[in-house]
Amino acid sequence: MSIYQFAKSIALLAGQRIREELSQELIIETKSNPNDLVTNMDKATEAFLVSQINEQYPDHRIIGEEGHGQDVTDTEGYLWVIDPIDGTLNFVHQQQNFAISIGIFYNGEKYAGVIYDVMNDKLYHAEAGHGAYLNDQQLPALKDTKLVTSIISMNPNWLTKERTRDMYVPIVQAARSSRSYGSAALDFAYVALGIIDSYITLRLHPWDFSGGLIIAEEVGAVVSNQLGEKLDPLHSNSILVANPGLHQELLNDYLGPYRSRLSEIHQGQFSNR
Ligand code: IPD
Ligand code: CA
Ligand code: CA
Ligand code: CA
């Protein structure tokens, strides 16, 4: 079994475990603030994925949101970047609309991405250079859209923040419509699927975007931060993902005028870059 096949198989297994245990009472804790939740299921799922990877590939390294991986500071060899439950708030409140996300890199280069929409049993996956799939259906290349006929996804938190409101409100106003799904991994998957045209957010961690980055780029999406710079699997960043035409329109016409403010925000937010 290839590493790619193995990644898909453990995502499916982990999802099955979540579905089976959904009726059990959750133990919910808070992390950085009262709305930043983690459950025993996030932790158990990450522990399961990490133990499977360690057993099969003891020399591979792992970054995981809940800390079961290692403290990784370089991209040598195989690197797995995993989010056991992306969309924990949806998981807690809705028991749906969450995903398992896995991105795998080899010497810093994209190798494969897997996003498993657990409750809908939809597996988005891609091996770099070989196209992206939803289950066994290959996804077509994205077509360019204009903002005026696009649906974009944006977290209302950024839209209402004093510091970012004037940057983002014109985008929402000019778009055909906007959505907020509460799972960054699913946002990437939906851009890859072409059901939304762009996902724009100001702060994601590597486990939020690594799987999605690899899948979305396989259908021709452009993935960058909001300054147009490349993402890397070791650092948090802002996100602008869209089909090429829309990515350029958003970067040039909407975010470009705020470049100096965005640079400042990046320096403050991601000072460890
Ligand atoms: C969160 C989700 C959410 C995004 C947050 C992430 P988590 O991940 O992806 O959509 O807006 O920035 O932290 O904590 O549920 O894995
Ligand atoms: Ca979290
Ligand atoms: Ca996440
Ligand atoms: Ca998570």
Side-chain angles (χ1 to χ4, degrees):
M1 195 191 286
S2 69
I3 298 168
Y4 172 46
Q5 298 296 347
F6 176 77
K8 289 191 279 181
S9 73
I10 60 172
L12 289 171
L13 272 177
Q16 188 188 340
R17 288 164 59 104
I18 294 174
R19 285 193 302 269
E20 283 168 3
E21 285 168 34
L22 216 55
S23 57
Q24 315 263 326
E25 202 173 326
L26 282 177
I27 303 164
I28 303 169
E29 294 166 66
T30 55
K31 292 168 89 179
S32 61
N33 66 64
N35 299 323
D36 182 8
L37 306 183
V38 62
T39 74
N40 54 317
M41 195 74 91
D42 298 67
K43 294 178 185 175
T45 303
E46 184 170 303
F48 171 76
L49 291 168
V50 168
S51 75
Q52 295 288 312
I53 300 161
N54 281 340
E55 200 180 302
Q56 188 77 12
Y57 305 111
D59 56 331
H60 290 194
R61 294 182 303 160
I62 307 166
I63 299 173
E65 179 181 8
E66 310 307 344
H68 291 84
Q70 294 107 343
D71 192 10
V72 177
T73 51
D74 66 80
T75 55
E76 212 185 299
Y78 279 101
L79 175 63
W80 294 64
V81 187
I82 63 179
D83 193 337
I85 295 185
D86 180 63
T88 295
L89 288 180
N90 288 351
F91 174 67
V92 169
H93 286 255
Q94 308 175 337
Q95 288 81 55
Q96 59 177 332
N97 304 321
F98 61 89
I100 295 168
S101 176
I102 300 176
I104 310 171
F105 299 82
Y106 180 65
N107 288 340
E109 299 294 325
K110 296 177 291 179
Y111 167 67
V114 174
I115 292 173
Y116 187 37
D117 176 347
V118 173
M119 301 314 288
N120 291 310
D121 191 25
K122 287 185 176 174
L123 187 72
Y124 300 86
H125 55 98
E127 185 180 3
H130 297 277
Y133 290 78
L134 166 51
N135 296 331
D136 49 15
Q137 203 73 31
Q138 185 164 7
L139 301 179
L142 296 181
K143 295 196 177 81
D144 283 346
T145 60
K146 290 275 180 207
L147 183 57
V148 67
T149 51
S150 295
I151 296 185
I152 59 139
S153 176
M154 189 186 283
N155 183 336
N157 287 339
W158 297 123
L159 202 59
T160 50
K161 283 238 165 14
E162 182 86 42
R163 187 127 197 250
T164 47
R165 192 185 295 162
D166 56 339
M167 277 195 307
Y168 295 138
V169 164
I171 298 176
V172 171
Q173 283 172 333
R176 174 166 277 169
S177 193
S178 55
R179 301 284 182 271
S180 182
Y181 293 105
S183 159
L186 290 178
D187 278 299
F188 272 90
Y190 295 163
V191 172
L193 199 54
I195 64 171
I196 57 170
D197 303 297
S198 178
Y199 172 48
I200 305 161
T201 194
L202 196 56
R203 189 194 183 121
L204 288 186
H205 299 296
W207 44 83
D208 301 314
F209 66 70
S210 286
L213 158 77
I214 296 169
I215 294 169
E217 286 191 344
E218 278 304 305
V219 291
V222 181
V223 183
S224 71
N225 71 4
Q226 291 180 19
L227 294 162
E229 299 162 344
K230 206 173 165 221
L231 306 179
D232 79 82
L234 296 182
H235 297 103
S236 303
N237 217 326
S238 68
I239 300 290
L240 175 61
V241 50
N243 62 63
L246 183 58
H247 187 277
Q248 196 176 35
E249 184 183 353
L250 288 166
L251 203 57
N252 291 349
D253 301 352
Y254 291 88
L255 299 172
Y258 295 96
R259 208 177 159 78
S260 61
R261 192 194 306 172
L262 275 168
S263 295
E264 252 173 56
I265 292 173
H266 281 71
Q267 273 157 24
Q269 245 184 198
F270 313 118
S271 49
N272 59 341
R273 286 198 313 156

